[in-house]
Amino acid sequence: KRRALQLPVNMVQFWEKTVCDESVEVYVRGFAWFKLVKLWAGMRWSDTVGLPPSSLRLDSRGLTGSLDRTKTTGAGKKVERLHVYVAFGAFLEFPDWLTIGFSLWKQMGIDSSSTERDFFLARPSKSLDGCVLAMARYTDAAAMSLALSRRWTFLDVLDETHPVLLPGVASCWTEHSERSTLATWSRCCGVQPEVTKRLCRWQQTVDEDYIRASRLLIEGAQVCISSAIKAGKGGPDILD
């Protein structure tokens, strides 16, 4: 069984920058936000299919949402609904990425009359200025991830722009890499195993009686991870 590869920290920072860059097309910024939410919420690709945008809320602590359908939950099962959380403190370089991206997706849903859809990731419009009422499949998301990676560039000493990755290299990461990355970061940054299980929803005890405790643990783990990565910048590799 091939395990999804861990994402580089600099790639995640590039996603944050893309969300906050007003010169970038709206859908591209929104898709980068989708990738970041999937990362920090520890979601599988299939989880996003059961995440209705109408369930997403921003409050004083961060983002909350409900997964109506996953591989192991749904109507008639032991756990019918799971919850996702992303704390405002979950960032590596740009603290406003969560708020900015939430506003972008909300406006795209209004403009495309798709706010009541029952899946999260909608396909882009041809001009990339918004989305359309059609669900993006796994292959669509993989293609868009590759396209996003091609925008990841750097300036050399002569101020000339170059791609960070050689053509095709980004295909080594899959749409499951975000979940694998968060689990790895969690353990490398000292988060307890039982909290990591909640962070990635492997320990499915999240119901109405435990929402407060789960959110507290998950948000604390996210802040712990982001703080450890930022504090270790320029030092030894703490993320293996």
Side-chain angles (χ1 to χ4, degrees), residues 10-100:
N10 282 349
M11 179 181 283
V12 177
Q13 291 175 315
F14 163 68
W15 292 347
E16 292 183 0
K17 179 181 178 182
T18 300
V19 173
C20 300
D21 188 348
E22 295 183 356
S23 67
V24 176
E25 298 93 330
V26 172
Y27 187 88
V28 177
R29 297 171 67 192
F31 182 69
W33 186 79
F34 164 80
K35 299 282 283 183
L36 287 165
V37 170
K38 188 148 71 89
L39 167 68
W40 286 109
M43 287 193 285
R44 306 179 184 91
W45 159 255
S46 59
D47 291 339
T48 68
V49 177
L51 176 63
S54 59
S55 75
L56 296 174
R57 298 284 188 276
L58 270 185
D59 59 22
S60 60
R61 294 166 57 177
L63 182 76
T64 68
S66 299
L67 299 175
D68 290 343
R69 304 179 311 280
T70 72
K71 287 183 176 181
T72 56
T73 64
K77 296 184 179 180
K78 183 178 180 181
V79 179
E80 293 193 355
R81 179 175 296 183
L82 292 173
H83 303 273
V84 295
Y85 309 105
V86 180
F88 280 128
F91 71 92
L92 301 183
E93 189 174 1
F94 295 85
D96 295 331
W97 74 264
L98 187 59
T99 303
I100 292 173

Side-chain angles (χ1 to χ4, degrees), residues 15-233:
W15 292 347
E16 292 183 0
K17 179 181 178 182
T18 300
V19 173
C20 300
D21 188 348
E22 295 183 356
S23 67
V24 176
E25 298 93 330
V26 172
Y27 187 88
V28 177
R29 297 171 67 192
F31 182 69
W33 186 79
F34 164 80
K35 299 282 283 183
L36 287 165
V37 170
K38 188 148 71 89
L39 167 68
W40 286 109
M43 287 193 285
R44 306 179 184 91
W45 159 255
S46 59
D47 291 339
T48 68
V49 177
L51 176 63
S54 59
S55 75
L56 296 174
R57 298 284 188 276
L58 270 185
D59 59 22
S60 60
R61 294 166 57 177
L63 182 76
T64 68
S66 299
L67 299 175
D68 290 343
R69 304 179 311 280
T70 72
K71 287 183 176 181
T72 56
T73 64
K77 296 184 179 180
K78 183 178 180 181
V79 179
E80 293 193 355
R81 179 175 296 183
L82 292 173
H83 303 273
V84 295
Y85 309 105
V86 180
F88 280 128
F91 71 92
L92 301 183
E93 189 174 1
F94 295 85
D96 295 331
W97 74 264
L98 187 59
T99 303
I100 292 173
F102 178 81
S103 297
L104 289 173
W105 269 110
K106 185 176 181 180
Q107 189 60 49
M108 281 195 290
I110 294 172
D111 292 344
S112 61
S113 301
S114 61
T115 54
E116 298 304 315
R117 65 185 187 272
D118 62 355
F119 55 88
F120 185 77
L121 185 62
R123 294 181 184 178
S125 62
K126 290 183 178 180
S127 61
L128 297 179
D129 61 352
C131 64
V132 298
L133 184 52
M135 186 177 72
R137 300 177 182 177
Y138 182 95
T139 52
D140 299 322
M144 290 190 288
S145 294
L146 287 175
L148 180 61
S149 71
R150 289 195 289 269
R151 293 171 176 252
W152 186 19
T153 60
F154 70 95
L155 293 175
D156 63 15
V157 293
L158 300 177
D159 286 337
E160 295 180 352
T161 302
H162 303 276
V164 173
L165 302 173
L166 293 173
V169 169
S171 62
C172 71
W173 293 289
T174 72
E175 293 308 300
H176 300 295
S177 287
E178 291 89 353
R179 182 178 172 87
S180 175
T181 297
L182 185 68
T184 304
W185 284 2
S186 175
R187 298 301 296 123
C188 290
C189 293
V191 176
Q192 295 299 312
E194 59 271 19
V195 178
T196 298
K197 290 179 181 179
R198 284 187 179 269
L199 191 62
C200 297
R201 287 173 308 285
W202 285 315
Q203 182 176 327
Q204 294 181 359
T205 58
V206 185
D207 54 30
E208 293 300 322
D209 294 331
Y210 297 99
I211 287 176
R212 290 185 179 179
S214 293
R215 183 174 186 181
L216 183 64
L217 289 171
I218 289 169
E219 290 178 340
Q222 291 170 346
V223 172
C224 173
I225 292 166
S226 61
S227 298
I229 293 174
K230 286 179 284 192
K233 188 176 181 180

